[in-house]
Amino acid sequence: MADAADLDQFRQSIAEALPCANVPTLLLLLYQFTGDDYWLKPPFSPIKSRWDDNDSGGLSEPLQSEVRAAALDAIVAWRAGRPIAKPDLSSDELIRMLTTSEAEAIPHEYGEMMVHKLKKYAGATPPPVNLPAGFKILIIGAGMSGVATAIRLKQAAVPYIQIEKQDRAGGVWHSHHYPGCGVDTPGHLYSYTFAGGNWTKFFPLQDELDGYFNRVAREFGVEESIRYGTECLVTRYDEESKTWKSRVRYPDGSEETIETNIVISAVGGFTTPKWPNIPGLHDFDGPVVHTSKWDPSVELDGKRVAVIGNGASAMQIVPATADRVSEMTIFQRSHQWAAPFPKLRMPVPEPVRLLLNQVPHYEWLYRLRLSWIFDSQVHDALQKDPEWPHPDRSVNAINDSHRANYTAYIESQLAERPDLIAKVVPGYPPFGKRMLLDNGWYKTLLKPHVKLVDSAAERIEGRKVIAKSGEAYEADVLIVASGYDISRFLLPVNVVGRGGKSVREAWNDNDCKAYLGTVIAGFPNFFMLYGPNTALGHGGSFIFTVESQIDYVLSTLRQMGERKLAEVECRLDVYETYNETIQAMHRGMIWSHEGMSTYFRNDQGRIVTNSPWRLIDYWNMTKEANLDDYVVKELDEGADEGASERARA
């Protein structure tokens, strides 16, 4: 219980924060802290918001003031020692609360998952995993998924070795430095469920994201054990010893083979830049820089800059650099949908940061709201309606309404330039390609020194970029914003499974498949995070997907220990049936629409990146592993000692 002086200071700081706080979240907090239904009924029912997290709830100023005053009293009373009326919210209560808060019906099936999230927000840890003596695990990578894996394994008392080829953790957020680089998911959602972000911006930029993952690694005690500057060259399964032998290279160039029972790949997908096949590109008479390998020494000020590409990285770097250059020419290969971004570059007010830190229940409920707003809401809009009369422009009535809203937004942004509207509005349905957020893109296109070329670059001669339309443009600097080789999973590591077959051979290079995006038939005791068909083309935070995969891996390991198993390998029939199922689902979804090209599809036309599942479906499938899906082999007699010898790193 706080003393009087501390309580007065606390009241003052919370009073300063509440005018900027999210009113729908405060209503949820009031119900939890007081137990009073009054706050979940009219006139306090928020209205539906189209674009954002709805800070005002659409309530009148007098009603907002009443909510804030009551929240201040309830929060201060809690700080003074008053028990929370509803400390453990049930799934039914959460559904009712969020249905009111979001102004739409939340399906009851989401209740259990929401309870699960709240428990993790409150610090729930996985139960111990008791593997046979000597069992060890290799984690390849220390980015977002690798750090989370190490933390969860440590909490479950599982021994592991972790390697990272960079000089610190953070993955893509450490390696990427181009201007404007940031996340297009709200920071409070792009956070581990077990570790808040204390973000300075609602949509953080690269440096803060890098700092977050390194801070979490440090605070949870896994940073010190990461072997930095260490690259895995090849990991090969030894069928006789039932172990993985991983050849690694250290910073000094020396190499070693590490033998472990389990390998978990956390190499991510945004590691290998994809260069466009443009004749003369690498002979350009001036600096050429890819956004994935940004060189800050490249001079942009006062230069004529050409940008190849208009996808996610271009939409960030162009507004961030346009005012520095004398001319900017953007070569657009295809049109893109971009949604409004109301909190673009908006800082989280300092008093609100204090509220989030000092009142964890507010943060948890705020994040829970965001997880619904930004997760699977658009899933229904992605399903093809065979009776829909306009399949060229949209896939169903909901999708068509999205098209109308996004088109109206673009038209409002470019009202003074009808010629640009015609150049940028896509002909394919919204969400057919990766949905982007407007980082100031449309307003940048209006600048007199910025030119959008509605044509791909065909070739480069000296300092001239020639478009497929035949026009030539002079440039001093060439920025290549063409993205990554996303569809060829596990590209950074040569993974060799049973029978000496590599994963590239098993997948025919880019026909990537996995069961639950996590395990591959023919690759025993091998798990991958961010595998095929796990990307969220329908919205949401990928961190939650990765955490679901980690829970699945822990469940598998726990059962291996309980049953004294040496080997688990996904059954081929389970593997094939699963992949046939998701492709059948995709044939009925927007990403198989013929009206656009997309990196979601491989050369065979299969959707290999995106998940067809709602997050609730994927969570249900991964919360507990079913070892009936696997071929399992028990430890040999006396294998505990043998495993101890073999698994030494």
Side-chain angles (χ1 to χ4, degrees):
M1 183 179 295
D3 61 32
D6 287 343
L7 201 60
D8 286 343
Q9 179 61 41
F10 179 77
R11 170 180 280 274
Q12 180 179 342
S13 62
I14 297 300
E16 291 174 359
L18 290 176
C20 303
N22 181 267
V23 170
T25 303
L26 292 178
L27 290 168
L28 301 181
L29 184 82
L30 280 167
Y31 175 74
Q32 183 179 21
F33 275 29
T34 68
D36 194 339
D37 278 2
Y38 176 73
W39 303 109
L40 296 184
K41 295 178 180 179
F44 298 104
S45 303
I47 63 172
K48 181 68 178 171
S49 174
R50 177 181 294 177
W51 304 123
D52 57 17
D53 48 354
N54 198 16
D55 281 335
S56 72
L59 303 187
S60 67
E61 287 295 337
L63 288 175
Q64 291 184 53
S65 296
E66 183 178 347
V67 170
R68 292 188 173 103
L72 178 61
D73 290 341
I75 291 170
V76 173
W78 162 75
R79 182 61 171 257
R82 179 190 293 173
I84 295 173
K86 294 183 175 292
D88 299 310
L89 294 163
S90 69
S91 61
D92 286 344
E93 284 175 317
L94 283 170
I95 292 299
R96 181 188 170 207
M97 291 165 68
L98 287 162
T99 291
T100 299
S101 177
E102 309 291 6
E104 66 176 303
I106 310 295
H108 277 271
E109 62 184 317
Y110 282 83
E112 184 186 354
M113 184 173 77
M114 291 173 176
V115 169
H116 167 81
K117 287 183 178 182
L118 276 183
K119 287 180 178 178
K120 292 181 84 173
Y121 292 155
T125 58
V129 173
N130 297 308
L131 290 170
F135 253 57
K136 281 189 179 178
I137 294 173
L138 175 65
I139 306 171
I140 305 175
M144 175 263 286
S145 54
V147 167
T149 303
I151 290 170
R152 285 323 207 188
L153 289 181
K154 181 179 180 181
Q155 291 174 334
V158 177
Y160 68 88
I161 298 164
Q162 185 168 24
I163 62 174
E164 166 56 51
K165 67 180 181 180
Q166 298 191 86
D167 59 359
R168 60 181 275 167
V172 67
W173 298 114
H174 180 57
S175 62
H176 285 53
H177 302 279
Y178 65 83
C181 180
V183 72
D184 56 6
T185 301
H188 296 95
L189 193 56
Y190 198 81
S191 306
Y192 298 129
T193 52
F194 53 82
N198 191 23
W199 304 107
T200 63
K201 291 184 174 62
F202 286 103
F203 289 80
L205 296 177
Q206 173 268 327
D207 58 344
E208 190 170 11
L209 293 158
D210 182 26
Y212 168 74
F213 292 113
N214 279 276
R215 174 179 62 79
V216 172
R218 182 169 58 255
E219 291 179 353
F220 280 83
V222 301
E223 181 189 50
E224 60 191 20
S225 64
I226 301 171
R227 300 183 185 182
Y228 292 114
T230 304
E231 182 178 7
C232 183
L233 304 174
V234 59
T235 183
R236 186 182 302 271
Y237 190 65
D238 185 312
E239 296 179 49
E240 182 179 353
S241 63
K242 299 182 180 62
T243 61
W244 284 90
K245 296 181 178 180
S246 304
R247 193 71 180 167
V248 303
R249 182 162 54 211
Y250 293 114
D252 63 3
S254 64
E255 296 184 4
E256 179 187 7
T257 296
I258 299 175
E259 189 171 359
T260 58
N261 306 86
I262 307 286
V263 169
I264 300 175
S265 168
V267 299
F270 296 91
T271 55
T272 306
K274 190 170 186 178
W275 287 86
N277 184 20
I278 301 174
L281 175 61
H282 296 288
D283 297 320
F284 176 73
D285 186 17
V288 178
V289 58
H290 196 286
T291 51
S292 68
K293 303 291 183 182
W294 187 255
D295 181 356
S297 69
V298 173
E299 182 62 53
L300 298 181
D301 294 339
K303 303 295 185 180
R304 299 171 299 177
V305 174
V307 180
I308 307 295
N310 64 317
S313 52
M315 199 158 283
Q316 292 184 337
I317 197 170
V318 164
T321 59
D323 289 340
R324 295 172 52 188
V325 307
S326 62
E327 295 178 14
M328 179 169 279
T329 306
I330 306 160
F331 292 85
Q332 171 178 269
R333 185 170 61 88
S334 60
H335 297 187
Q336 305 280 2
W337 286 107
F341 198 174
K343 290 191 171 179
L344 168 67
R345 302 190 186 96
M346 280 183 59
V348 181
E350 285 297 328
V352 172
R353 293 181 66 195
L354 184 143
L355 173 65
L356 290 159
N357 290 328
Q358 294 292 315
V359 188
H361 302 80
Y362 174 85
E363 181 192 12
W364 302 341
L365 292 168
Y366 179 62
R367 291 174 69 181
L368 204 62
R369 288 194 72 244
L370 287 176
S371 74
W372 173 256
I373 294 170
F374 287 90
D375 278 5
S376 297
Q377 279 199 81
V378 301
H379 194 265
D380 289 345
L382 310 183
Q383 311 303 314
K384 292 179 180 176
D385 178 357
E387 304 301 320
W388 179 243
H390 309 292
D392 55 330
R393 73 183 192 205
S394 51
V395 293
N396 58 37
I398 303 172
N399 188 249
D400 203 52
S401 68
H402 282 299
R403 180 184 183 87
N405 289 333
Y406 292 136
T407 301
Y409 172 73
I410 294 171
E411 290 173 345
S412 71
Q413 295 295 296
L414 301 176
E416 61 193 78
R417 289 285 303 279
D419 61 310
L420 279 178
I421 295 172
K423 281 185 177 182
V424 303
V425 174
Y428 59 87
F431 302 97
K433 294 165 73 77
R434 178 180 175 180
M435 198 71 192
L436 306 178
L437 292 180
D438 178 16
N439 284 267
W441 174 261
Y442 297 116
K443 292 301 184 185
T444 301
L445 295 183
L446 294 174
K447 296 179 183 290
H449 68 292
V450 175
K451 182 175 182 61
L452 179 68
V453 179
D454 192 15
S455 175
E458 183 175 57
R459 68 186 188 280
I460 294 172
E461 298 175 354
R463 291 207 169 196
K464 288 184 179 180
V465 182
I466 294 93
K468 287 191 175 181
S469 59
E471 300 167 288
Y473 300 88
E474 293 272 356
D476 304 310
V477 179
L478 196 57
I479 295 175
V480 181
S482 52
Y484 307 83
D485 198 343
I486 301 295
S487 64
R488 298 171 70 210
F489 290 84
L490 293 176
L491 197 57
V493 180
N494 183 16
V495 182
V496 182
R498 190 179 296 283
K501 179 180 282 189
S502 74
V503 75
R504 300 263 69 85
E505 293 172 309
W507 285 341
N508 191 23
D509 189 30
N510 72 344
D511 197 19
C512 307
K513 304 174 185 177
Y515 177 54
L516 300 174
T518 309
V519 291
I520 311 165
F523 293 78
N525 293 6
F526 180 84
F527 302 90
M528 62 185 303
L529 306 176
Y530 192 8
N533 297 111
T534 56
L536 299 176
H538 56 299
S541 171
F542 189 71
I543 285 184
F544 184 73
T545 296
V546 165
E547 288 192 25
S548 297
Q549 289 184 283
I550 294 169
D551 289 344
Y552 180 83
V553 173
L554 284 171
S555 174
T556 305
L557 296 177
R558 188 173 296 110
Q559 294 178 68
M560 288 183 73
E562 292 167 353
R563 294 172 54 176
K564 298 189 184 305
L565 300 178
E567 184 180 270
V568 294
E569 179 184 349
C570 183
R571 287 168 34 194
L572 181 60
D573 61 322
V574 170
Y575 175 78
E576 290 180 341
T577 298
Y578 177 82
N579 282 283
E580 289 167 2
T581 298
I582 59 176
Q583 292 307 313
M585 294 173 70
H586 276 308
R587 285 192 289 274
M589 296 182 72
I590 195 167
W591 299 305
S592 59
H593 192 280
E594 296 179 354
M596 74 283 173
S597 62
T598 171
Y599 68 80
F600 301 158
R601 293 195 290 260
N602 67 6
D603 295 341
Q604 291 77 43
R606 290 181 65 256
I607 311 298
V608 295
T609 60
N610 285 11
S611 170
W613 308 109
R614 300 174 303 164
L615 286 185
I616 182 66
D617 301 322
Y618 190 75
W619 179 74
N620 279 321
M621 290 187 290
T622 54
K623 62 184 177 182
E624 190 69 28
N626 181 0
L627 290 198
D628 289 343
D629 295 334
Y630 290 81
V631 177
V632 303
K633 292 183 180 178
E634 295 180 355
L635 283 168
D636 297 331
E637 187 130 350
D640 277 9
E641 293 98 20
S644 180
E645 289 296 316
R646 290 193 304 270
R648 287 180 303 174

